[in-house]
Amino acid sequence: MDFEGIYCFDTATVRFAIYPDGRDGARIIAQISEETLHDVFGTRNLGDRLLDTCKTHFVALSAAALRCHRANPKAPICLTIDDFSPRALPRSANDHDATSGAPVAA
């Protein structure tokens, strides 16, 4: 899936779209803070350059956003460092789909 996102200067976040049911299904907006991108992925990028970081790590971002969405479909998706911790990841191959098994930066 292609990355669709914008950098929001006023909130220092990147907002991006995921499609839990494929492109023909609902479009869900998730966000991740600049601070979380720095802590999880080790980037030094700032502002609009964080879009490059998100494109590079979109498999991990979309998997985390999808887990949050499935856990609580009506809640806003605001990814934090906890969404990328080992305890946030599925326990076995039987517990997740193909996209959620992507490597996640520590």
Side-chain angles (χ1 to χ4, degrees):
M1 184 181 314
D2 294 330
F3 173 78
E4 296 175 21
I6 60 169
Y7 177 73
C8 300
F9 178 78
D10 59 330
T11 58
T13 61
V14 173
R15 293 187 184 152
F16 61 95
I18 61 168
Y19 296 85
D21 301 315
R23 285 280 183 190
D24 293 332
R27 180 176 186 244
I28 308 296
I29 301 299
Q31 74 177 19
I32 187 167
S33 71
E34 207 173 274
E35 180 181 1
T36 301
L37 288 166
H38 292 166
D39 291 348
V40 173
F41 299 108
T43 186
R44 293 189 177 269
N45 287 343
L46 298 170
D48 286 338
R49 300 232 26 235
L50 286 170
L51 295 174
D52 294 332
T53 301
C54 290
K55 287 176 188 175
T56 300
H57 299 286
F58 186 59
V59 170
L61 290 172
S62 62
L66 186 58
R67 282 192 301 277
C68 290
H69 174 70
R70 288 188 175 152
N72 192 351
K74 295 184 182 193
I77 301 171
C78 300
L79 299 178
T80 68
I81 194 168
D82 291 337
D83 294 309
F84 299 93
S85 69
R87 69 180 179 275
L89 300 175
R91 295 175 205 224
S92 74
N94 296 328
D95 292 337
H96 63 281
D97 62 26
T99 60
S100 63
V104 177

